[in-house]
Amino acid sequence: VTKEPTYTEPGEIKYTCSLCGDTRTESVPCKEKKGKLTISNETVRAGDEVTVKLYLDENPGITALSINVNFPNRFILKDVQYMGLFPNQPSSSPMNYNPFTVSWASPTSTDIDNTGLFAILTFDVGIDVPLADYPITVTYNAENIFDSAFVNVPLDIENGTVSVLKPTPGDVNRDGNINMKDLVLIQQ
């Protein structure tokens, strides 16, 4: 490869014949504009909180994004922290909406290609939630993620799972250990 392709410019690859030395050059197509959104897999004991992380990777540069985070109706979304991946804070629907919608637009209408931890969602998992694996998924309208030229940027989505385990009897402070701290809390 003599010239690597970018999202806007094709690349080139040069071939040389090992017998006669003749060369030919071929075009390499532009890289496909495509990002990746990954949701972490987590484990929680019924009655505890769980944090689920959303990562944006392989970001080719976007100027706007709107996604829907779908979660089990038995979970209560308590908090959302945005991790500064974008220069301005995303907006979102009220936390009691399911799906929970996150929207962001570049304040300067320029492409932002930052990658990494995008958001942390904290859920309350009630003590009465049945023991099972629960999906946390993301959906989006293809028209709602695009670059500064208004070209849609598709995302590969890796959905996550929250596995709910039974609570540990006697572990009052839910630190995973049954000890004197639990006894003191019971006595209070």
Side-chain angles (χ1 to χ4, degrees), residues 73-106:
N73 289 333
R74 292 177 167 270
F75 289 17
I76 298 170
L77 182 58
K78 286 183 52 178
D79 187 45
V80 178
Q81 293 178 303
Y82 297 107
M83 306 312 294
L85 198 59
F86 297 119
N88 57 314
Q89 186 85 341
S91 61
S92 54
S93 63
M95 283 195 284
N96 61 338
Y97 283 28
N98 189 3
F100 176 72
T101 301
V102 177
S103 300
W104 170 82
S106 171

Side-chain angles (χ1 to χ4, degrees), residues 12-188:
E12 289 182 350
I13 188 166
K14 184 177 179 181
Y15 297 97
T16 303
C17 178
S18 60
L19 299 176
C20 69
D22 282 354
T23 62
R24 71 180 162 90
T25 302
E26 289 184 8
S27 180
V28 177
C30 293
K31 289 170 61 175
E32 180 183 9
K33 277 196 148 194
K34 186 182 235 183
K36 180 178 179 181
L37 188 77
T38 303
I39 304 165
S40 65
N41 294 311
E42 304 295 341
T43 301
V44 64
R45 295 201 178 276
D48 287 348
E49 288 183 355
V50 64
T51 57
V52 175
K53 298 170 187 73
L54 276 65
Y55 296 91
L56 180 62
D57 294 311
E58 301 170 20
N59 179 3
I62 57 176
T63 199
L65 163 140
S66 183
I67 60 172
N68 297 311
V69 180
N70 307 279
F71 55 91
N73 289 333
R74 292 177 167 270
F75 289 17
I76 298 170
L77 182 58
K78 286 183 52 178
D79 187 45
V80 178
Q81 293 178 303
Y82 297 107
M83 306 312 294
L85 198 59
F86 297 119
N88 57 314
Q89 186 85 341
S91 61
S92 54
S93 63
M95 283 195 284
N96 61 338
Y97 283 28
N98 189 3
F100 176 72
T101 301
V102 177
S103 300
W104 170 82
S106 171
T108 59
S109 297
T110 56
D111 291 338
I112 305 297
D113 61 0
N114 298 341
T115 60
L117 181 58
F118 172 51
I120 298 174
L121 285 68
T122 302
F123 295 96
D124 244 349
V125 178
I127 194 77
D128 60 339
V129 172
L131 311 182
D133 292 335
Y134 294 91
I136 308 292
T137 63
V138 167
T139 58
Y140 68 96
N141 177 321
E143 299 289 319
N144 287 339
I145 303 174
F146 53 88
D147 65 14
S148 58
F150 295 97
V151 174
N152 296 341
V153 177
L155 291 179
D156 283 338
I157 305 289
E158 252 184 57
N159 292 312
T161 299
V162 173
S163 299
V164 177
L165 307 175
K166 70 179 182 174
T168 304
D171 184 13
V172 178
N173 64 356
R174 303 218 186 279
D175 66 357
N177 299 305
I178 300 171
N179 53 30
M180 292 302 291
K181 292 176 183 175
D182 298 302
L183 179 60
V184 169
L185 288 170
I186 290 170
Q187 291 176 346
Q188 290 178 351

